């Protein structure tokens, strides 16, 4: 029976101990357990990171304190944290949505880049002349960013649906293609004076920031939070509604649990695959649009420090729950921001890595329970 | 330690010590007490049947014994020794092995590889041939015909079950627990299994046998224990002193009368018409070779046959789950063959599939989500493209009550239901869709006697309401009790078609196994034997 766990070895190894540790298959998973293990895993990860910092001669408490202060310590840094969280919320939602259907879209990075490119095309081609009011330009950029991301996401979707091609490989490879595509445009047609970046967008193509209202409310000055955050929050609500309150979401969850049962229920699995990939790509594309229009204000090569990859961790921590994605994205936004503040800046990356490993390890706790058993003679 | 039995052989005085003693077992799940102070004895060298309604707690009790669940209270003795198994691995080390309702084999591996899976030996898979012989030898000794080199996906369900039993025997099991082993077997396969079990107990092994088939309990078991709602209502009664009707009374606490009252046969227009339908099996071999059938409104057509003669494929082509390579399938004037499953659903074709955990339900979704699988596109469950959660809850609760699906709530995950309750869930959903055509494959598999009577009544009610029903079953008694006409399927062909009233069991039995009917035995107009 496969439920048997190789539990014998530790028992045999530690013959001298009066007790032994065994793994037992868990058949009943209480509802609270997934949340508890996630929190526990993050706590363990922080402890481990603290240990590493301490061994390396640092003062973990001071460092964590510094991370907290430099990401949540004041209105200004909190705003910066939220700016970093914005693309993570959108790409995290993109991953969570696809993962719900067990479509392993690890191409959010590429879809993000294509979204950024599509939005930039509106002002750089230009589709609309400079001076077109924001009320026209911004929605057009949103639509173009989402469309570009959706089309790019649909490629692995179609390949998977029609030919059964493994989407992991395809999405992974397409990330490189997207990066080269951006490089081509910023080196070539859109290069400004031979530099590897485009000209700056006209102000009508900038997403409004809180600081824009500083002349009315002085306290807002310097706050860089832009409209993209609202996109993220609205998207979280919409994805939640989609998954748990809509027919399509029901189909997605059905396929995610049992593709054969879904087919039996009359769900068009191939079509849903393409649609979900496109929706996932559109979310990531919107993230790219929000980043170029809200933060960078031009297209250049380095617009993403790997948001699309961090998004995988974010979705994972959130247990694929849309609101969880928002919380996890803000936490990771803080870590990214802290990376700027802390020397060496590898520390937050290390913490991220340790968190991911703890999370994956903690999955085992959902399926097995650990028992310390007294040895009987 | 592997092939050699670990448990001591029973000596004459050891026979007095029971193979298994369960005392005061309590097992609670959220919202249910599955076992409520259960006592159970298994003597060495006996076959002991465990009976009870769906959800009575039989599987739970045996899972506790096997170390899969830990009891909340109670004690377990195996051959007189108190034990506390923490996993099935511990249980098998003590000579106790269980074959579950749903198998756990690796389809892409060979029989031998499956038997060896999880064992310390062989470390490197160098000399599999030697193990093939060992497995073949073990199989021969126990009359479990199976080719050790065959891959599991190529095996019939009956053969897969033999592999599961071989796994346990290879690990030296002397106490065997079989959870509804015959639910998936054809009568002939069941007879083979019984022969094996008898030989095993004659050699000093002991067997616990869970079943809903009262007839076979009397046939194979020495004693029987009956459970009801987590408690024992009859402990270790000798089967010599019982009758099927008496057992049924002990199970459900009242008289079970299967009085099938059928309205007169008044067939309406043709609902389903199959013309020369051909299809291939998963292995790419011809499974249907030119099947032509008609089912009318208000009619139940029974398809009798030994498992593996194309029945599964027949149900699948009609519901769009399998391609047909030739022929046409028309429901209510519209073609459904080689169309998306949605087409058949739209034409109100209901389908009770053979595989209830893999196809019929999504195990990790809730009971409510499983109940709306066929109705989530229409009001009241759907409001345009959104789903009305309140309506879902009301709909699910209504079905849960009407079909007596035992589950703590409709939010419970489907995988936590007992086998029979899962089957009820599927039936509730399919019947609630008010079908024009019902394709029912083994609809009463795994149901207790009371529930079987209920399902039979429901099928007849539908017939009276004008639905066409295609009843695919290996249980000839069931077919003869319900069907208006009987078609016999053999190797993908319809080899006989009879009026149920005039059908001769012996002839049908002969046709099912590939014999030919004499013209005299195929009477009546509808009874023309189709070549
Ligand atoms: N892991 C579980 N978690 C929660 N409830 C469970 C679990 N396993 C079983 N149950 C519940 O315990 C009760 C007894 O279930 P069990 O599977 O033992 O029934 P059974 O007698 O084998 O029925 P059947 O004849 O239908 O197979 C049922 O109400 C079932 O829903
Ligand atoms: Mg059971």
């Amino acid at each position: 029976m496969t439920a048997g766990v190789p539990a014998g070895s530790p028992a045999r190894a530690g013959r001298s101990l009066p007790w032994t540790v065994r793994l037992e298959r868990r058949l009943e998973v209480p509802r609270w357990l997934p949340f508890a293990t996630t929190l526990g895993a993050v706590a363990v990860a922080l402890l481990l990171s603290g240990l590493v910092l301490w061994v390396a001669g640092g003062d973990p408490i001071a460092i964590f304190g510094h991370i907290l202060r430099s990401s949540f310590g004041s209105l200004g840094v909190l705003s910066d944290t939220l700016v970093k969280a914005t693309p993570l919320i959108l790409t995290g939602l993109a991953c969570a949505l696809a993962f719900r259907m067990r479509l392993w879209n690890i191409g959010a990075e590429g879809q993000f880049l294509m979204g950024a490119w599509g939005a930039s095309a509106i002002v750089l081609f230009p589709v609309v002349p400079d001076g077109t009011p924001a009320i026209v330009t911004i929605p057009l950029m949103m639509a173009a960013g989402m469309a570009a991301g959706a089309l790019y996401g649909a490629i692995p979707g179609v390949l998977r649906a029609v030919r059964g091609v493994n989407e992991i490989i395809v999405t992974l490879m397409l990330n490189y293609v997207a990066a080269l595509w951006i490089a081509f445009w910023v080196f070539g047609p859109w290069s400004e004076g031979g530099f590897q970046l485009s000209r700056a967008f006209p102000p009508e193509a900038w997403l409004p920031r809180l600081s824009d209202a500083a002349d009315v409310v002085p306290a807002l000055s310097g706050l860089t939070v832009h409209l993209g955050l609202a996109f993220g929050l609205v998207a979280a609500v919409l994805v939640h509604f989609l998954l748990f309150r809509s027919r399509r979401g029901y189909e997605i969850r059905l396929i995610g649990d049992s593709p054969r049962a879904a087919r039996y229920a009359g769900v068009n699995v191939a079509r849903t695959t393409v649609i979900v990939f496109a929706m996932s790509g559109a979310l990531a594309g919107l993230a790219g649009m929000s980043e170029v229009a809200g933060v960078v204000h031009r297209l250049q090569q380095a617009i993403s420090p790997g948001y699309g990859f961090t998004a995988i961790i974010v979705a994972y921590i959130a247990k694929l729950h849309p609101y969880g994605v928002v919380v996890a994205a803000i936490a990771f936004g803080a870590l990214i921001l802290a990376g700027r503040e802390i020397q060496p800046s590898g520390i937050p990356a290390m913490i991220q890595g340790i968190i991911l490993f703890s999370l994956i390890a903690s999955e085992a706790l959902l399926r097995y329970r650990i028992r310390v058993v007294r040895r009987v003679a | 330690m592997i092939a050699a039995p670990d448990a001591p052989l029973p000596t004459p005085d050891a026979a007095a010590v029971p193979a298994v003693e369960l005392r005061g077992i309590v097992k609670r799940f959220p919202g249910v007490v599955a076992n409520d102070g259960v006592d159970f004895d298994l003597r060495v060298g006996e076959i002991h049947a465990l009976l009870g309604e769906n959800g009575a707690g039989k599987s739970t009790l045996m899972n506790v014994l096997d170390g899969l669940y830990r009891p909340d209270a109670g004690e377990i003795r195996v051959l007189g020794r108190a034990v506390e198994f923490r996993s099935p691995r511990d249980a098998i080390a003590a000579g106790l092995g269980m074959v579950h309702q749903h198998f756990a084999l690796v389809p892409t591996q060979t029989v031998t590889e499956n038997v060896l899976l999880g064992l310390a030996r062989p470390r490197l898979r160098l000399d599999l041939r030697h193990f093939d012989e060992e497995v073949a030898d073990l199989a021969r000794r126990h009359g479990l015909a199976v080719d050790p080199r065959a891959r599991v996906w190529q095996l019939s369900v009956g053969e897969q079950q033999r592999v599961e039993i071989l796994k346990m025997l290879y690990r030296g099991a002397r106490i065997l627990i079989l959870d509804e082993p015959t639910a998936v077997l054809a009568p002939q396969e069941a007879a083979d299994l019984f022969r094996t079990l008898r030989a095993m107990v004659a050699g000093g092994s002991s067997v616990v046998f869970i079943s809903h088939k009262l007839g076979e309990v009397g046939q194979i078991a020495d004693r029987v224990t009956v459970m009801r709602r987590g408690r024992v209502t009859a402990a270790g009664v000798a089967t010599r002193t019982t009758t099927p009707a008496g057992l049924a009374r002990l199970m459900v606490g009242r008289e079970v009368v299967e009085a099938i009252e059928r309205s007169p046969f008044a067939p309406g227009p043709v609902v389903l018409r199959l013309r020369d339908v051909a299809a291939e099996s998963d292995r790419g071999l011809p499974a249907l070779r030119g099947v032509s059938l008609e089912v009318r409104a208000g009619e139940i057509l029974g398809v009798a046959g030994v498992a593996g003669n194309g029945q599964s494929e027949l149900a699948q082509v009609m519901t769009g789950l399998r391609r047909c390579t030739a022929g046409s399938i028309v429901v209510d004037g519209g073609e459904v063959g080689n169309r998306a499953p949605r087409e058949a659903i739209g034409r109100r074709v209901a389908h009770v599939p053979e595989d209830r955990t893999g196809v019929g339900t999504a195990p990790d979704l809730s009971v409510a989500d499983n109940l709306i699988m066929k109705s989530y596109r229409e009001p009241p469950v759907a409001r345009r493209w959104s789903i009305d959660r309140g309506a879902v809850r009301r709909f699910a609760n209504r079905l849960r009550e009407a079909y007596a699906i035992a589950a703590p709530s409709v939010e419970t995950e489907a995988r936590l239901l007992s086998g029979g309750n899962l089957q009820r869930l599927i039936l509730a959903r399919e019947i609630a869709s008010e079908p024009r055509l019902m394709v029912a494959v083994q609809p009463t598999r795994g149901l207790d006697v009371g529930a079987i009577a209920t399902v039979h009544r429901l099928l007849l009610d539908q017939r009276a309401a004008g639905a066409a029903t295609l009843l695919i079953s290996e249980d000839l008694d069931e077919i003869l009790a319900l069907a208006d006409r009987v078609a016999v399927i053999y190797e993908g062909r319809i080899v006989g078609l009879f009026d149920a009233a005039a059908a001769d069991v012996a002839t049908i039995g002969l046709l099912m196994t590939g014999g030919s009917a004499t013209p005299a035995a195929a009477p009546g107009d509808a009874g023309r034997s189709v070549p």
Side-chain angles (χ1 to χ4, degrees):
Chain A
M1 170 79 214
T2 45
V5 177
S9 30
R12 247 156 255 149
R15 196 161 287 282
S16 53
L17 295 172
W19 44 264
T20 138
V21 176
R22 328 203 23 160
L23 283 181
E24 267 175 34
R25 179 90 172 204
R26 209 186 257 285
L27 287 140
E28 308 129 63
V29 179
R31 268 178 207 284
W32 49 265
L33 193 66
F35 302 100
T37 50
T38 300
L39 287 181
V42 172
V44 167
L46 292 181
L47 274 176
L48 282 177
S49 319
L51 195 68
V52 174
L53 293 174
W54 180 68
V55 168
D59 175 353
I61 310 267
I63 293 174
F64 285 137
H66 189 68
I67 289 181
L68 275 183
R69 246 174 294 118
S70 59
S71 25
F72 296 109
S74 73
L75 215 52
V77 292
L78 177 64
S79 155
D80 289 347
T81 293
L82 292 178
V83 169
K84 288 287 162 213
T86 299
L88 287 178
I89 295 176
L90 285 164
T91 49
L93 289 171
C95 291
L97 182 61
F99 293 176
R100 275 270 171 182
M101 209 177 118
R102 302 215 192 137
L103 289 176
W104 306 120
N105 176 16
I106 52 177
E109 181 78 3
Q111 293 144 18
F112 173 97
L113 293 176
M114 292 313 267
W117 177 84
S120 307
I122 297 288
V123 283
L124 295 181
F125 258 141
V127 177
V128 294
D130 283 9
T132 311
I135 197 79
V136 176
T137 311
I138 301 276
L140 271 178
M141 290 173 76
M142 286 172 72
M146 289 171 75
L151 284 176
Y152 208 61
I155 297 173
V158 170
L159 287 173
R160 161 79 191 251
V162 178
R163 308 241 32 130
V165 181
N166 183 322
E167 73 276 15
I168 299 181
I169 310 287
V170 178
T171 50
L172 190 64
M173 300 315 261
L174 283 179
N175 287 334
Y176 297 104
V177 177
L180 291 172
W181 177 251
I182 299 280
F184 166 75
W185 286 90
V186 297
F187 275 101
W190 290 344
S191 167
E192 185 178 49
F195 291 104
Q196 305 152 20
L197 30 82
S198 77
R199 70 180 171 93
F201 295 169
E204 302 81 49
W206 295 13
L207 287 177
R209 289 176 166 166
L210 277 186
S211 57
D212 295 349
D215 11 330
V216 191
V217 188
L220 294 181
S221 80
L223 297 190
T224 50
V225 171
H226 56 88
L227 195 62
L229 180 64
F231 296 169
L233 298 180
V234 171
V237 175
L238 288 180
V239 170
H240 185 267
F241 187 91
L242 171 77
L243 278 176
F244 300 108
R245 297 277 192 279
S246 78
R247 279 168 53 181
R248 177 81 63 203
Y250 174 73
E251 291 175 342
I252 293 171
R253 288 184 295 126
L254 197 54
I255 299 172
D257 189 34
S258 168
R260 288 204 296 154
R263 237 168 80 68
Y264 161 78
V267 178
N268 188 333
V269 178
R271 209 175 68 161
T272 312
T273 301
V274 176
I275 290 175
V276 166
F277 248 116
M279 288 198 289
S280 180
L283 284 166
L286 183 61
M289 176 272 169
S290 129
E291 201 62 9
V292 286
V295 180
V296 193
H297 298 156
R298 62 168 87 231
L299 189 65
Q300 60 187 42
Q301 249 189 318
I303 45 173
S304 166
Y307 289 131
F309 297 117
T310 308
I312 299 170
I313 313 180
V314 166
Y316 214 81
I317 294 189
K319 297 269 177 251
L320 310 187
H321 197 286
Y323 298 147
V325 165
V326 174
V327 176
I330 291 173
F332 273 83
L335 271 180
I336 293 180
L337 193 69
R340 303 266 161 93
E341 300 285 321
I342 293 183
Q343 295 301 327
S345 65
I347 300 266
M350 173 200 78
I351 297 180
Q352 268 189 42
I354 294 183
I355 289 181
L356 181 61
F357 277 111
S358 317
L359 277 170
I360 292 173
S362 79
E363 281 295 284
L365 287 181
L366 287 181
R367 294 204 271 125
Y368 300 101
R369 68 169 81 227
I370 296 177
R371 230 171 237 285
V372 178
V373 215
R374 201 176 272 283
R375 187 186 294 286
V376 272
Chain B
M1 168 239 134
I2 289 158
D6 207 24
L9 283 170
T11 52
D13 52 319
V17 179
V20 172
E21 258 182 294
L22 300 178
R23 288 287 164 265
I25 300 293
V26 176
K27 180 69 193 172
R28 292 186 202 93
F29 293 115
V32 244
V33 187
N35 290 157
D36 189 4
V38 176
D39 296 340
F40 179 81
D41 292 295
L42 173 68
R43 293 184 192 147
V44 173
E46 78 165 342
I47 299 181
H48 194 139
L50 189 55
L51 273 179
E53 288 177 290
N54 294 131
K58 307 177 293 292
S59 299
T60 304
L61 185 68
M62 290 303 120
N63 285 332
V64 165
L65 174 56
D66 192 40
L68 203 58
Y69 294 157
R70 324 196 88 211
D72 297 319
E75 69 182 85
I76 305 173
R77 291 173 171 275
V78 172
L79 293 164
R81 254 184 319 173
V83 293
E84 218 176 295
F85 299 143
R86 296 189 188 89
S87 72
R89 197 173 265 260
D90 291 356
I92 194 72
L96 194 144
M98 177 159 173
V99 176
H100 289 264
Q101 249 168 312
H102 306 116
F103 306 149
L105 298 171
V106 184
T108 51
Q109 296 207 325
T110 68
V111 169
T112 302
E113 285 167 337
N114 267 281
V115 167
L116 298 178
L117 198 72
L119 292 178
R121 210 166 63 113
R123 278 212 181 285
L124 299 168
R125 315 182 337 155
L126 288 179
D127 189 16
L128 267 188
R129 212 167 326 128
H130 160 74
F131 289 97
D132 281 342
E133 266 154 42
E134 226 175 79
V135 170
D137 186 51
L138 187 70
R140 219 174 2 258
R141 265 185 308 174
H142 288 94
L144 295 161
V146 59
D147 172 10
R149 271 173 291 265
R151 308 222 164 245
V152 163
W153 64 266
Q154 299 173 318
L155 303 181
S156 73
V157 186
E159 288 171 312
Q160 292 186 20
Q161 185 173 65
R162 284 176 223 147
V163 180
E164 286 279 12
I165 296 175
L166 275 176
K167 257 167 82 175
M168 295 307 151
L169 295 178
Y170 192 80
R171 287 161 175 72
R174 303 282 290 160
I175 301 169
L176 203 58
I177 306 169
L178 302 172
D179 195 348
E180 297 194 34
T182 56
V184 292
L185 297 186
Q188 186 51 47
E189 287 176 316
D192 292 344
L193 174 67
F194 291 167
R195 206 167 314 117
T196 301
L197 295 183
R198 281 216 193 80
M200 282 175 56
V201 293
S205 292
S206 324
V207 174
V208 182
F209 181 88
I210 301 182
S211 176
H212 289 294
K213 299 181 181 170
L214 304 178
E216 75 183 19
V217 165
Q219 216 183 69
I220 180 78
D222 301 303
R223 292 192 304 150
V224 52
T225 290
V226 182
M227 289 182 70
R228 207 161 106 69
R229 303 205 182 140
R231 294 166 172 275
V232 171
T233 52
V237 182
T239 47
R240 272 178 285 107
T241 64
T242 62
T243 60
L247 291 174
R249 197 169 340 104
L250 285 172
M251 269 173 64
V252 291
R254 59 183 158 76
E255 209 71 39
V256 180
V257 271
E258 168 133 38
I260 296 192
E261 275 174 44
R262 35 191 312 145
S263 48
F265 180 39
V270 172
V271 173
L272 170 72
R273 176 175 285 138
L274 273 77
R275 281 268 169 278
D276 302 319
V277 172
E280 290 179 348
S281 69
D282 286 340
R283 292 185 237 174
L285 303 171
L288 296 177
R289 315 166 192 239
V291 171
S292 299
L293 282 176
E294 276 181 10
V295 191
R296 295 167 169 275
E299 177 186 47
I300 298 180
L301 174 68
V303 177
V306 177
N309 278 289
Q311 292 99 316
S312 324
E313 289 83 2
L314 182 62
Q316 288 163 354
V317 290
M318 274 186 283
T319 46
L321 294 173
R322 181 178 295 273
R323 292 186 49 75
C324 26
T325 47
S328 84
I329 304 164
V330 174
V331 175
D332 267 344
E335 176 72 38
V336 298
N338 284 344
R339 300 284 151 83
R342 185 76 190 279
E343 184 74 27
I345 294 171
R347 296 191 175 275
R348 309 216 87 86
V349 178
H351 179 197
V352 176
E354 191 175 16
D355 181 354
R356 60 188 172 206
T357 48
V359 175
T361 54
D364 287 339
L365 296 192
S366 67
V367 168
D369 277 346
N370 272 284
L371 281 171
I372 61 169
M373 261 163 77
K374 292 293 177 69
S375 51
Y376 74 93
R377 297 183 183 87
E378 300 154 17
V381 167
R383 271 188 311 200
R384 290 166 189 273
W385 40 266
S386 77
I387 282 183
D388 181 344
R389 306 258 288 180
V392 171
R393 211 171 314 112
R394 280 190 298 279
F395 175 76
N397 274 317
R398 184 162 61 74
L399 292 192
R400 178 165 72 114
E401 265 153 48
Y403 294 83
I405 303 167
S409 90
V410 294
E411 296 306 323
T412 309
E413 285 126 329
R415 73 189 154 81
L416 299 181
L417 296 191
S418 81
N421 279 301
L422 205 55
Q423 184 73 6
R424 287 176 194 217
L425 185 158
I426 295 171
L427 280 160
R429 178 183 67 214
E430 298 306 308
I431 293 178
S433 70
E434 296 178 0
R436 280 287 288 157
L437 170 69
M438 164 71 96
V439 180
V441 188
Q442 317 278 12
T444 55
R445 170 187 290 175
L447 294 186
D448 64 49
V449 278
I452 288 176
T454 312
V455 169
H456 286 175
R457 193 177 34 76
L458 286 167
L459 289 175
L460 288 172
D461 285 352
Q462 281 200 78
R463 166 179 173 272
T469 304
L470 192 78
L471 172 66
I472 301 177
S473 175
E474 284 164 41
D475 183 348
L476 201 50
D477 294 334
E478 178 169 85
I479 288 190
L480 290 175
L482 294 175
D484 301 299
R485 289 188 302 146
V486 183
V488 182
I489 190 167
Y490 178 73
E491 295 199 333
R493 289 194 185 87
I494 301 296
V495 293
L497 195 58
F498 305 92
D499 268 332
D504 172 44
V505 179
T507 309
I508 295 182
L510 205 59
L511 287 171
M512 279 167 60
T513 49
S516 60
T518 54
D525 197 10
R528 256 180 298 115
S529 185
V530 181

